[in-house]
Amino acid sequence: MATASLTAETVRHVAIAGNPNSGKSTIFNALTGMRQKVGNYPGVTVEKKVGRFYGSHGEPMELLDLPGSYSLQVRSPDEAVARDVLLGRLKDTAQPDVIICVADASNLERNLYLVTQLLEMRIPVIVALNMVDVAEKNGHVIDLACLQEQLGVTIIPTVASKGHGLVELRQAVSASPLQRPDKKAPMPEIIEREARQLAEKLHLAPEIAYSEALLLLTLHDRSLIELAAHSHEIVKATVDSQKTILAAGLDPVSAPVEARYAWIQTVCDKAVSRPGHLHLSNVSDRIDTILTHRVLGWVAFLGAMVFMFFCIFTLAQVPMDWLDSTFTGLANWVGQKLPDSDLRSLVTDGVIAGVGRVVIFLPQILVLYFFLGILEDTGYMARAAFIMDRLMSRVGLHGKSFIPMLSSFACAIPGIMATRTIENRKDRFVTILVAPLMSCSARLPVYALMIAVLIPGASALGKAGIMLCMYMIGIIAAFAMAWLFKKTLLRSETPMLLLELPPYRMPSLKTIALRMWERAGIFLRRAGTVILALSILLWALVTYPKPSDPKTTPAEALSQSFAGQMGHAIEPAIAPLGFDWKIGIGLIGSFAAREVFVSTMSIVYNVETSDKDKDNTEPLRDTMSHERRSNGNPVFTPLVCIGLMVFYVLAMQCISTVAVVARETNSWRWPLFMVGYMTVLAWIGTFIVYQGGRLFGWV
């Protein structure tokens, strides 16, 4: 979703900051709508999300959605980027003219900590006090006028999920001139003096020098050189100031934190009244007694997964049938308009069959993203991590690692990028290595095709059950490999889980729709570029060289083609898995992207069937079901179908994921290792399925 380039002369730069789960992204999406672009900050792999919106007088604004942060004292790459943007450290990103700090009104004390640090920077701050409706339901009464007076900044009450307060927020950002904060948390005298003296040596703008100095004073010796990015003289001055503070009987790391929270407590005592006691009348608490229960929580989790897959096979069926008939009709129409030639074969059997057989699965992928969006926006993701913590701890990780793994159900790339919130480097790398084992949306077309071949008349519930089994295989494999890596390559202590359980809230359908629109655009661009290019290449490989004998059958011609030769070359390695050389062509073609397996099979069997069955709306499934080996036995037996699904659960068939892992780990050693171990794991898993099934007399 590209936006026009914005110039510093005409645009006010606005940054939106806040704690995770405060509604920051909901406000960002509500203000910018579809005028967004997503990239990465140069030099790091943290996602940069920028959007355009317009002020109350029509003036253009550039809104930068910063990663969620609890504090400017960073513990993860995401928080480091948020800090560096606010302090103007990133050369490619303008320091914001104004900061919208989103604070959860139902958990005000914790959220105001980041606000106190922003006040110290003296950059104009507008506090979007979000989820005031939740605070009111919890019995919290907030005196907005008093709170605004205490903090010395503009405060706008909002309910972002319902769009309340956004007009007022837009007006506040449009104000001119913007007022700089004139209040801040009082520091102990010795810390205040040392921070002022250190600020004078930094040669920075006055509005950020003091804040930078306070951050330096709270860093440990080992962290100074790594995080401060200052000269040796500044590091030495910082250490000297820390020693002076220690000599006065204060801890330079904890004393500023305690001072800020003491001021926050004073502010909240004046501006917020709370109920005298808390009890389980709170809806969130009552729901949590079920969803975080050690038994019922698992029942709810598995039930949600089954329901999601059931909907994937029911709700998506009508649009899938429509897309299927559309592409079939298009292929027939083109076939009638063009004379019999390689061009007609390229367009109908290569482009339309190759791309169309992948695009028809878009409705299923969108249903998947819709349900994952619901789980995330309602606050259930954190509960899933909580109930998984007991199991995750047995493999050496904690429940927080399960959130990136759960995100990988949609796509491994954002799942891997979400590991930046994991503080421990070894735990982060373990999570990265096993996240691709979670079944992503690119596997859906493969699963759906093989289930259709395996059980053509299966009910939606039966298909959902098979699909759930594939997802569970991926989860079990991920846990097993995580345990192995934690015991060998990346040995470290099992971390303790510290996880915030946000209150349950109604999901923002607009936000979910925007995510679905974004993913649909990415999928269709992929279909129109990568998959289109691969489909044309694969068509050429299965078509050429053409046999010299005109009596050569389509099967013989395919066997003699470049693709056939490649399939025959790897057939000895895949024959123990029950795969023939045609399936081998699909495995080779899908290394770039898993869903290409479907388009590859479509091209392979379209070449063989030529023009027959063109009126059948599901020729690929039917053709594969009737495919026979040279001895007359069917190729796609139940064992082969299950084995193929298991192979795609465990194999690393995605070039994009490999590239992202290389960026996240800053090395090609780990992605190559990941490709190697997952390929071996896929071969072994499929071998056990096929050969083990044969031992029991299955076919």
Side-chain angles (χ1 to χ4, degrees), residues 377-579:
D377 276 19
T378 55
Y380 181 74
M381 283 288 201
R383 274 75 183 180
F386 178 81
I387 65 172
M388 283 289 179
D389 180 62
R390 184 183 299 271
L391 182 59
M392 297 290 287
S393 64
R394 295 182 181 275
V395 302
L397 298 173
H398 57 43
K400 191 181 288 188
S401 292
F402 188 69
I403 295 178
M405 294 167 68
L406 197 60
S407 300
S408 297
F409 281 159
C411 179
I413 292 174
I416 290 170
M417 293 167 68
T419 61
R420 300 172 194 137
T421 60
I422 300 174
E423 294 85 2
N424 184 283
R425 177 180 175 273
K426 290 185 177 180
D427 290 346
R428 180 170 176 253
F429 276 28
V430 170
T431 309
I432 287 173
L433 288 175
V434 302
L437 288 168
M438 311 296 278
S439 287
C440 64
S441 58
R443 292 174 168 101
L444 274 178
V446 180
Y447 295 163
L449 175 63
M450 299 319 302
I451 291 173
V453 176
L454 175 65
I455 314 175
S459 65
L461 189 59
K463 294 177 181 178
I466 298 174
M467 188 81 76
L468 179 62
C469 289
M470 294 301 110
Y471 277 72
M472 293 305 300
I473 290 173
I475 293 173
I476 293 170
F479 285 178
M481 296 310 300
W483 177 85
L484 180 63
F485 293 147
K486 285 284 288 185
K487 296 293 183 182
T488 54
L489 291 175
L490 297 163
R491 182 187 297 270
S492 63
E493 295 294 325
T494 300
M496 181 183 297
L497 176 65
L498 295 174
L499 181 68
E500 174 193 7
L501 293 181
Y504 292 101
R505 59 179 70 98
M506 289 297 295
S508 170
L509 295 181
K510 180 179 179 181
T511 299
I512 295 173
L514 282 171
R515 291 178 193 159
M516 292 171 65
W517 177 266
E518 179 182 336
R519 296 309 307 180
I522 292 173
F523 181 81
L524 292 176
R525 284 196 298 272
R526 187 185 181 96
T529 54
V530 176
I531 295 175
L532 174 61
L534 288 173
S535 296
I536 294 174
L537 175 61
L538 288 167
W539 173 87
L541 291 175
V542 300
T543 304
Y544 299 103
K546 291 205 166 189
S548 55
D549 187 355
K551 296 182 179 180
T552 303
T553 64
E556 293 171 339
L558 177 63
S559 178
Q560 297 170 14
S561 68
F562 292 124
Q565 295 173 35
M566 295 166 64
H568 283 297
I570 69 168
E571 190 171 26
I574 61 175
L577 312 181
F579 301 164

Side-chain angles (χ1 to χ4, degrees), residues 266-481:
T266 301
V267 170
C268 290
D269 287 344
K270 294 179 180 179
V272 183
S273 60
R274 306 173 182 82
H277 62 281
L278 297 176
H279 50 82
L280 280 179
S281 62
N282 186 299
V283 175
S284 289
D285 292 338
R286 286 196 236 175
I287 297 175
D288 277 342
T289 59
I290 298 174
L291 296 187
T292 61
H293 191 273
R294 61 169 51 194
V295 176
L296 296 179
W298 277 96
V299 174
F301 176 75
L302 294 176
M305 295 296 103
V306 171
F307 180 70
M308 179 176 70
F309 297 132
F310 175 79
C311 291
I312 285 174
F313 283 106
T314 53
L315 298 180
Q317 193 58 52
V318 172
M320 285 180 67
D321 290 342
W322 180 82
L323 286 172
D324 196 4
S325 61
T326 298
F327 278 102
T328 301
L330 178 61
N332 289 336
W333 181 80
V334 172
Q336 294 170 0
K337 295 297 181 181
L338 294 177
D340 187 9
S341 63
D342 283 354
L343 176 61
R344 185 177 75 172
S345 176
L346 169 62
V347 175
T348 58
D349 300 333
V351 174
I352 297 177
V355 175
R357 288 296 165 188
V358 174
V359 172
I360 62 173
F361 292 101
L362 176 61
Q364 287 187 333
I365 292 172
L366 291 181
V367 171
L368 173 65
Y369 272 99
F370 173 79
F371 276 97
L372 290 178
I374 292 289
L375 295 179
E376 183 176 350
D377 276 19
T378 55
Y380 181 74
M381 283 288 201
R383 274 75 183 180
F386 178 81
I387 65 172
M388 283 289 179
D389 180 62
R390 184 183 299 271
L391 182 59
M392 297 290 287
S393 64
R394 295 182 181 275
V395 302
L397 298 173
H398 57 43
K400 191 181 288 188
S401 292
F402 188 69
I403 295 178
M405 294 167 68
L406 197 60
S407 300
S408 297
F409 281 159
C411 179
I413 292 174
I416 290 170
M417 293 167 68
T419 61
R420 300 172 194 137
T421 60
I422 300 174
E423 294 85 2
N424 184 283
R425 177 180 175 273
K426 290 185 177 180
D427 290 346
R428 180 170 176 253
F429 276 28
V430 170
T431 309
I432 287 173
L433 288 175
V434 302
L437 288 168
M438 311 296 278
S439 287
C440 64
S441 58
R443 292 174 168 101
L444 274 178
V446 180
Y447 295 163
L449 175 63
M450 299 319 302
I451 291 173
V453 176
L454 175 65
I455 314 175
S459 65
L461 189 59
K463 294 177 181 178
I466 298 174
M467 188 81 76
L468 179 62
C469 289
M470 294 301 110
Y471 277 72
M472 293 305 300
I473 290 173
I475 293 173
I476 293 170
F479 285 178
M481 296 310 300

Side-chain angles (χ1 to χ4, degrees), residues 576-578 637-640 642-643 684-699:
L577 312 181
T637 64
L639 278 180
V640 170
I642 295 171
I684 293 174
T686 309
F687 180 86
I688 292 173
V689 168
Y690 183 71
Q691 298 297 344
R694 293 183 66 190
L695 286 177
F696 284 99
W698 301 335
V699 295

